[in-house]
């Protein structure tokens, strides 16, 4: 969901604050109606329905401009027509991601038919049982289903969620999330909870491909981005394995979940902060390779780089995120 409103641009709410509650109510009515409709459909029809709706709603989505800007920065070699096509594809895949939350309970019940798991040949996963692990992924593909990996091997993952600011949707969406094989803790003040899970030998899963304004500048598509090194720092502090997880969509509403090789610091004798930066850079490089394979799978609806980067990108306005002209 958008930070303030899914359907009403933030600048309109800023000028007309009275619209905030109206927007929340309208948003909740639409979302709940669509969810209940998809719950009547098969998983295949629900995902296709959501993809078509979101793809065609692209001109009305407040964050479509941000998607377009991010794609233009990441792929400067692509022309405006191609960036527009990719933007619509990202919007369609955002719809699929929403549907995947709705169908999660049914997918879990049919996990044997719908999931395949890929584990590195040289990894003895049993040796990690009852040992703390940090799993990391990006907002790429079916990222919400990464927790099915740990569940398949008898461990339940704890992950962080961002409470929705819409009071008419928060509880409803949290209930949908709880169909996933994960424990959820709120993003607000989550560090203590994550540390507790690792101390107890549990699995923690984090999504870490977004900008953190106070973060360390690391390369993402060759451009410095203020990056979040929290996941790497947790792994180092608790001396636990640090593994990227990739969740891919396959035809027929099926999924491939891959546990990638463990990430280790390139210089284990460096200060811990430097090791965390080294590990996070490796993760960002991996995410970039996934995105380059299929840019439409990248849920890039939030600003990734400093504003000045967008001002310098070809044909894009840093203020509006829309093509100049």
């Amino acid at each position: 969901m958008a930070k303030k409103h899914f359907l009403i641009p933030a600048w309109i709410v800023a000028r007309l604050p009275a619209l905030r509650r109206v927007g929340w109510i309208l948003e909740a009515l639409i979302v709940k109606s669509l969810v209940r409709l998809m719950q009547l459909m098969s998983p295949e029809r629900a995902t296709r329905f959501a993809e078509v709706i979101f793809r065609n709603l692209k001109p009305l989505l407040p964050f479509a401009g941000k998607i377009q800007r991010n794609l233009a920065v990441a792929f400067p070699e692509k022309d405006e027509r191609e960036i527009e096509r990719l933007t619509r594809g990202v919007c369609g895949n955002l719809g699929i991601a929403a549907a995947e939350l709705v169908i999660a309970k049914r997918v879990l019940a049919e996990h044997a038919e719908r999931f395949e798991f890929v584990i590195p040949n040289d990894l003895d996963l049993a040796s990690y049982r009852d040992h703390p692990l940090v799993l990391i992924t990006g907002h790429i593909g079916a990222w919400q289903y990464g927790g099915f990996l740990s569940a398949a091997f008898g461990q339940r993952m704890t992950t962080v969620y961002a409470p929705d600011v819409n009071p008419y949707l928060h509880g409803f969406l949290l209930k949908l999330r709880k169909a996933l094989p994960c424990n959820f803790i709120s993003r607000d003040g989550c560090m203590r909870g994550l540390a507790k899970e690792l101390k107890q030998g549990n699995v923690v899963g984090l999504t870490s491909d977004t900008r953190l304004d106070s973060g360390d500048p690391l390369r993402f598509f060759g451009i410095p981005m203020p990056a979040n090194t929290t996941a790497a720092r947790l792994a180092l502090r608790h001396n636990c394995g640090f593994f990227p997880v990739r969740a891919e969509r396959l035809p027929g509403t099926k999924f491939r979940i891959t546990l990638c090789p463990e990430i280790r610091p390139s210089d284990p004798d460096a200060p811990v902060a430097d090791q965390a930066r080294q590990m996070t850079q490796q993760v960002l490089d991996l995410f970039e390779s996934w995105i380059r394979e299929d840019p439409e799978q990248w849920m890039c609806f939030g600003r990734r780089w400093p504003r000045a980067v967008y001002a310098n990108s070809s044909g894009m306005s840093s203020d509006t995120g829309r093509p100049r002209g």
Side-chain angles (χ1 to χ4, degrees):
M1 302 300 296
K3 287 183 180 179
K4 297 192 181 210
H5 287 283
F6 182 66
L7 298 170
I8 302 177
W11 67 268
I12 293 180
V13 175
R15 292 183 182 183
L16 299 170
L19 282 179
R20 175 166 296 164
R21 185 168 180 271
V22 174
W24 277 338
I25 293 173
L26 178 62
E27 178 182 82
L29 286 172
I30 293 174
V31 170
K32 290 179 180 180
S33 297
L34 288 174
V35 166
R36 284 165 183 151
L37 181 59
M38 285 189 285
Q39 287 173 334
L40 299 175
M41 303 177 184
S42 68
E44 290 76 14
R45 289 190 63 189
T47 51
R48 179 58 184 158
F49 170 78
E51 179 187 17
V52 171
I53 291 292
F54 274 70
R55 184 183 291 268
N56 287 285
L57 279 179
K58 179 260 173 186
L60 302 178
L61 298 176
F63 48 77
K66 291 183 179 179
I67 295 173
Q68 192 169 349
R69 293 170 64 197
N70 286 324
L71 291 169
V73 170
F75 300 98
E77 73 281 4
K78 298 187 184 297
D79 61 25
E80 289 188 14
R81 179 175 294 182
E82 179 65 5
I83 293 297
E84 170 65 19
R85 185 189 70 79
L86 291 176
T87 302
R88 286 187 177 273
V90 172
C91 291
N93 278 299
L94 177 59
I96 293 176
E100 285 167 350
L101 200 58
V102 176
I103 66 173
K105 186 174 182 179
R106 285 175 287 171
V107 167
L108 179 60
E110 302 168 359
H111 68 276
E113 296 79 29
R114 293 195 181 270
F115 284 88
E116 63 178 68
F117 299 99
V118 180
I119 308 297
N121 292 331
D122 59 348
L123 178 64
D124 178 13
L125 201 61
S127 66
Y128 286 90
R129 185 155 298 182
D130 299 323
H131 290 274
L133 288 177
V134 174
L135 304 182
I136 187 166
T137 194
H139 293 89
I140 305 164
W143 86 93
Q144 299 171 110
Y145 283 179
F148 282 92
L149 177 71
S150 57
F153 295 96
Q155 292 179 286
R156 192 172 177 89
M157 183 177 78
T158 295
T159 191
V160 174
Y161 78 97
D164 199 283
V165 297
N166 184 336
Y168 303 99
L169 274 178
H170 169 65
F172 182 78
L173 294 177
L174 183 58
K175 185 177 180 180
L176 288 178
R177 288 190 181 102
K178 287 184 175 180
L180 297 169
C182 304
N183 299 320
F184 289 93
I185 58 176
S186 173
R187 180 182 61 187
D188 303 325
C190 67
M191 291 302 295
R192 182 176 297 178
L194 294 175
K196 180 180 178 181
E197 292 293 324
L198 293 173
K199 287 177 181 177
Q200 293 175 349
N202 297 327
V203 178
V204 162
L206 294 172
T207 307
S208 186
D209 63 323
T210 54
R211 183 192 83 257
L212 179 67
D213 287 332
S214 60
D216 297 293
L218 299 177
R219 296 183 316 279
F220 193 43
F221 287 87
I223 303 168
M225 177 186 77
N228 190 342
T229 60
T230 298
R233 287 188 284 111
L234 277 171
L236 290 166
R237 184 178 303 139
H238 295 277
N239 192 30
C240 56
F242 185 55
F243 294 88
V245 173
R246 184 179 189 181
E248 299 172 86
R249 298 182 178 113
L250 304 176
T253 317
K254 296 182 180 181
F255 307 90
R256 178 188 299 121
I257 314 296
T258 302
L259 183 67
C260 300
E262 185 174 4
I263 297 288
R264 294 186 175 94
S266 52
D267 181 5
D269 296 322
V272 171
D274 289 343
Q275 292 184 49
R277 284 189 284 269
Q278 294 165 13
M279 294 164 70
T280 305
Q281 184 63 69
Q282 293 177 59
V283 169
L284 290 176
D285 290 344
L286 187 60
F287 290 168
E288 180 180 334
S289 71
W290 299 350
I291 294 165
R292 289 189 180 278
E293 286 181 27
D294 190 350
E296 294 183 19
Q297 297 292 328
W298 183 27
M299 301 295 97
C300 53
F301 43 85
R303 181 167 60 87
R304 291 301 194 267
W305 294 277
R307 295 184 189 279
V309 172
Y310 299 94
N312 295 328
S313 66
S314 175
M316 303 302 293
S317 164
S318 63
D319 296 325
T320 65
R322 300 184 182 279
R324 292 191 181 106

